[in-house]
Amino acid sequence: MRRLLIVLLLIVSSFPLAFSKGKDSLGVVRTEDFHYSLKTPEKWVSDTKSGLEGGLPLIFLPKGKTWESSPVVLYTYVQPLDSAVEHFRIINDDSRRMSISVSKLSAKHLEPSAIGEHRVQVVHFISEPGKIFDAVAYISQTPTLIVRVVMSAKTLDDFKKNLPVFEKSLQSYNFTAEQK
């Protein structure tokens, strides 16, 4: 599943810079126009190098794990859009793309919520037999920008065990537009 999502990311035209900061580490993604941050989960580390080749400026891993060895990872990236209408289409397109490559995919759309003034749609993508265990938050940041925060697990147990980590990370999300 991670490979599929990385392939999907290749369509993303913006490759922002990311860095970690401070003892209670914040992972920060910065572009020319904005930056956003997520707090590094407790007992996790942020990594701004491992995902760059696949267009992932910021990933989080449990301490002592690598992208390849970790039973679960969190990552985030931005996607510019042509219009606000695309926000809804993006979710449907992701579901369609994944179901083409994986049989018996379930896409459970949770009730829309908000982080501050930003609409958030979380979708759990789970396949049988177990190949995909992903939670994806689509944060409608601006009419022409969506931020994705993704948790990808290798097993259903790891997925369930780490959902609170994913949810807490979402609540730490903070976006700032750059002053021009």
Side-chain angles (χ1 to χ4, degrees):
M1 178 54 203
R2 292 180 190 163
R3 286 186 184 128
L4 173 64
L5 288 175
I6 289 173
V7 169
L8 292 174
L9 294 175
L10 294 177
I11 64 171
V12 178
S13 61
S14 171
F15 293 96
L17 170 69
F19 60 92
S20 295
K21 180 175 165 177
K23 184 179 178 225
D24 290 330
S25 184
L26 282 180
V28 179
V29 176
R30 180 178 298 279
T31 73
E32 186 177 303
D33 299 324
F34 64 87
H35 69 270
Y36 68 93
S37 63
L38 292 164
K39 187 173 181 184
T40 304
E42 189 176 327
K43 298 182 182 176
W44 289 52
V45 295
S46 59
D47 180 346
T48 58
K49 294 182 176 67
S50 297
L52 286 178
E53 189 175 305
L56 301 174
L58 178 61
I59 63 175
F60 298 102
L61 306 158
K63 285 183 181 172
K65 300 294 182 184
T66 65
W67 176 262
E68 294 80 16
S69 72
S70 183
V72 63
V73 296
L74 291 172
Y75 57 90
T76 183
Y77 61 98
V78 297
Q79 182 171 353
L81 305 172
D82 292 330
S83 70
V85 175
E86 285 190 80
H87 284 240
F88 303 105
R89 197 188 85 228
I90 293 296
I91 298 169
N92 292 334
D93 286 352
D94 281 358
S95 296
R96 187 174 32 81
R97 276 189 211 107
M98 283 192 238
S99 61
I100 288 170
S101 64
V102 177
S103 64
K104 298 183 182 178
L105 178 75
S106 165
K108 179 181 177 186
H109 296 249
L110 304 185
E111 285 294 318
S113 61
I115 298 174
E117 61 192 49
H118 307 290
R119 184 177 185 277
V120 180
Q121 177 66 60
V122 175
V123 181
H124 293 175
F125 295 102
I126 297 177
S127 70
E128 294 298 330
K131 292 182 181 178
I132 296 176
F133 305 100
D134 289 356
V136 182
Y138 299 87
I139 303 170
S140 297
Q141 186 53 59
T142 70
T144 58
L145 181 72
I146 194 166
V147 174
R148 282 188 178 110
V149 179
V150 180
M151 179 188 76
S152 184
K154 290 183 178 175
T155 68
L156 184 57
D157 285 344
D158 289 324
F159 177 84
K160 289 177 178 178
K161 184 172 91 176
N162 286 285
L163 271 176
V165 173
F166 172 74
E167 292 160 358
K168 190 172 182 179
S169 292
L170 287 180
Q171 293 309 311
S172 74
Y173 174 81
N174 185 30
F175 180 92
T176 304
E178 297 296 329
Q179 300 296 321
K180 299 236 175 183

